[in-house]
Amino acid sequence: MPAADAHTIHTLYVDHHGWLQGWLRRRLGNAADAADLAHETFLRLIASRDALIGLQEPRAYLTTTARHLLIDRSRRQVIEQAYLAELALLAETLPHYPSPAEIMAAVEALSQITRALDNVPPRAREAFLRHYLEQQTQADIARALGVSKRMVQKYLAQALLCCHLHCPALAEHGL
Amino acid sequence: MTGADPILEQAAAWIVRLGDDDPAERAEAERDFVRWKAADPRHAAAAARIDGLLGRVRALSGPATARPALAALAAAAKPRAARPLAAGAALLLLLCLPVWAALSLWPPAYLLADLRTGTGQWESRELADGTRITLSANSAVNLHYDATSRRLELVSGDILVDVAKDAARPFLVDTAHGRIRALGTRFTVDRRDGETVVEMLDSSTSITARGQPAGEAPLTITAGQSARITAAGVTRGAPVDPASLADAWTRHQLVVSDRPLAEVLDELSRHRPGRILYDRDQIAGLRVSAVLPLDDTDRALRLLRSSFPALRLRTLTPYLVLVDAPP
């Protein structure tokens, strides 16, 4: 990280960290969660340092980022609940119940996939989940969606690309 | 996708092709993919990124986790993306609803029939051979006349036929349940849900059920008698009074003797716009004998209530009447 950026972030942190944490505490009603999220917000800021160039309204930027994190967090809770609920339903038929670490990894991956799929058009999203998650063949998906296999391949490529563009973290984790 | 890195676009297309279910195409894709990767180090890097992303998804695809994963993704799917779809579906439903309602009220066979009447309509028609036919409300018939026979198909509803004599061409009425062969005569045919009821005013008819074994003699009924045709066969019904029956058809009355209330309400429904809703189980035990005016179904309903004090009628709108019998 160039020195100028490090300096900018340091200044931002010093100037606004306390304020952001207070803002989050009022929203969450919980000091520990607020501290965690404030920390995460700054991490996000560092990760996307391009956004810092010419930052005019640092507090507006911080709250926007924090808001996104809040939404992610609630979605993550939704994901975790739905995942665990379905897992509990399947519990008796599973050869082995996943360990807490496996569940955590799955929930983490799922929240990234969710974010990545947000920008994928519905049909492409469906083709993507059927193929890569449910392991249906491209021919089966073509039949189910009433399109040609060539079209299914287009959907899949579109979904892959879209996921990559909107959630690079998903790709980086995998490497 | 516009604005995307063309190398990434190609990499995505390759990876999709590697998942082709046709082994020959897959083998070809694999060969070409190796060549494409070797052509430029950026190609291999892009492919590795896409593949890495997929690895994360594939890790969830096992039998144990695919279902919970799908459930979680469905729960967390952005409502914004789903809403236009849901709105579209709702709109489609809204557009289809009148068609569905129309088709359930008037099945295609009714709509395509040669002669038909709507709710509350009566129609009398003299056919080419001089036969007179009267259709009660919501009735439909198809006519099949040729040199050897006169066949009338009762698609739905209730008709009165006054057959003109024609020794050369027998007159037949067909319903889903059986065939009525007229021997120069006046009678009514009422096609209900599971049965067809024939009532004789004059002379006689011979009746066969659709599923009746060949060789079994048809049942002949004469004036003042009735018959029911069901899938099981033809049985004799209660006697009828030809004079009051004829009267009822001229005056548009419903003459019922000892019929379940639900059936009577169904008959009344055919003569009024809107619907009469009732709880079949609750009124199951009630049977009706009455003469009810079909041109004034409100009065008919009031008459019914007067013979069944337990019956409760609630007119929610002129088009929706609820009938029940609170215990």
Side-chain angles (χ1 to χ4, degrees):
Chain A
M1 188 184 296
D5 278 358
H7 177 74
T8 315
I9 286 169
H10 181 75
T11 316
L12 265 178
Y13 194 89
V14 169
D15 290 352
H16 306 295
H17 180 264
W19 172 84
L20 179 67
Q21 205 169 316
W23 184 85
L24 281 165
R25 196 172 49 236
R26 279 194 301 280
R27 256 157 197 79
L28 293 168
N30 174 335
D33 285 352
D36 279 355
L37 262 180
H39 184 69
E40 252 183 81
T41 306
F42 275 94
L43 283 181
R44 186 72 68 102
L45 209 63
I46 293 164
S48 62
R49 52 186 178 276
D50 289 353
L52 289 178
I53 297 166
L55 197 61
Q56 299 289 322
E57 299 280 347
R59 288 196 170 175
Y61 185 84
L62 283 171
T63 49
T64 305
T65 308
R67 254 194 211 106
H68 284 156
L69 284 172
L70 275 173
I71 293 167
D72 281 355
R73 218 166 106 111
S74 64
R75 277 179 108 183
R76 201 192 146 99
Q77 278 166 0
V78 168
I79 288 170
E80 194 171 335
Q81 274 169 15
Y83 188 81
L84 288 175
E86 192 66 25
L87 209 56
L89 281 179
L90 289 175
E92 281 172 25
T93 61
L94 292 180
H96 82 282
Y97 200 83
S99 70
E102 282 172 322
I103 292 176
M104 236 184 86
V107 170
E108 174 62 27
L110 282 168
S111 29
Q112 287 181 351
I113 294 168
T114 305
R115 211 176 313 129
L117 287 175
D118 273 350
N119 299 290
V120 176
R123 309 246 321 154
R125 179 188 148 99
E126 179 160 2
F128 179 85
L129 291 179
R130 279 173 182 262
H131 190 52
Y132 293 114
L133 203 55
E134 295 184 80
Q135 296 181 317
Q136 294 182 8
T137 66
Q138 295 175 357
D140 283 347
I141 299 167
R143 226 166 292 128
L145 298 185
V147 296
S148 65
K149 196 171 92 177
R150 190 69 53 208
M151 196 66 213
V152 170
Q153 294 188 334
K154 263 200 188 128
Y155 284 152
L156 292 174
Q158 185 190 13
L160 280 174
L161 210 59
C162 211
C163 280
H164 185 275
L165 279 179
H166 292 281
C167 192
L170 197 58
E172 267 146 28
H173 257 281
L175 283 176
Chain B
M1 181 163 295
T2 47
D5 178 354
I7 294 180
L8 272 174
E9 257 177 60
Q10 288 167 21
W14 279 117
I15 290 193
V16 169
R17 279 189 60 197
L18 293 176
D20 201 301
D21 16 279
D22 180 28
E25 289 204 28
R26 201 169 52 231
E28 193 194 324
E30 275 160 13
R31 247 191 343 266
D32 294 348
F33 181 52
V34 171
R35 212 170 304 139
W36 179 78
K37 275 198 296 191
D40 187 329
R42 286 176 303 166
H43 290 181
R49 289 180 67 85
I50 302 269
D51 206 39
L53 180 153
L54 265 186
R56 303 266 285 157
V57 180
R58 286 208 193 92
L60 295 166
S61 71
T65 46
R67 251 185 65 183
L70 281 170
L73 287 172
K78 220 181 197 174
R80 195 186 64 200
R83 212 171 286 133
L85 208 65
L91 187 64
L92 193 66
L93 193 68
L94 215 62
L95 292 174
C96 290
L97 208 58
V99 177
W100 171 81
L103 285 180
S104 66
L105 209 56
W106 305 298
Y110 167 85
L111 292 173
L112 295 172
D114 296 337
L115 274 181
R116 61 170 189 264
T117 50
T119 302
Q121 286 181 337
W122 294 75
E123 175 147 359
S124 275
R125 186 75 72 88
E126 189 167 310
L127 304 177
D129 62 329
T131 294
R132 282 202 71 81
I133 164 172
T134 306
L135 281 78
S136 171
N138 274 337
S139 303
V141 297
N142 284 316
L143 300 169
H144 309 277
Y145 270 47
D146 58 32
T148 56
S149 75
R150 297 170 290 170
R151 194 163 69 82
L152 187 154
E153 185 190 343
L154 178 58
V155 177
S156 66
D158 197 358
I159 53 169
L160 167 71
V161 200
D162 196 345
V163 183
K165 286 211 165 61
D166 183 343
R169 290 191 299 171
F171 189 92
L172 309 168
V173 178
D174 282 344
T175 75
H177 310 108
R179 166 169 288 186
I180 300 133
R181 189 189 174 94
L183 313 161
T185 177
R186 196 150 61 112
F187 59 99
T188 68
V189 185
D190 183 4
R191 203 200 130 162
R192 300 176 191 168
D193 269 352
E195 61 180 6
T196 296
V197 175
V198 187
E199 293 174 327
M200 293 307 300
L201 280 76
D202 275 330
S203 183
S204 60
T205 55
S206 65
I207 305 168
T208 43
R210 187 157 276 219
Q212 194 166 316
E216 193 173 300
L219 175 75
T220 299
I221 58 170
T222 56
Q225 296 182 327
S226 74
R228 319 170 81 85
I229 320 172
T230 61
V234 190
T235 49
R236 259 176 215 286
V240 293
D241 174 16
S244 65
L245 209 57
D247 230 28
W249 274 84
T250 346
R251 294 186 189 171
H252 298 174
Q253 290 169 331
L254 176 64
V255 181
V256 289
S257 76
D258 196 33
R259 269 180 79 184
L261 177 60
E263 280 183 23
V264 176
L265 290 175
D266 287 345
E267 294 267 359
L268 289 181
S269 275
R270 284 174 29 207
H271 294 269
R272 62 180 287 133
R275 301 193 55 186
I276 302 176
L277 296 178
Y278 54 84
D279 178 342
R280 195 171 281 274
D281 291 338
Q282 208 179 33
I283 63 170
L286 303 177
R287 299 185 79 85
V288 188
S289 297
V291 177
L292 300 168
L294 291 173
D295 287 343
D296 184 354
T297 48
D298 282 335
R299 197 158 78 82
L301 284 169
R302 285 198 300 274
L303 283 169
L304 276 178
R305 190 180 45 192
S306 67
S307 36
F308 295 104
L311 214 58
R312 186 168 63 172
L313 295 175
R314 280 172 296 171
T315 309
L316 296 185
T317 76
Y319 296 97
L320 188 60
V321 177
L322 289 182
V323 178
D324 62 357

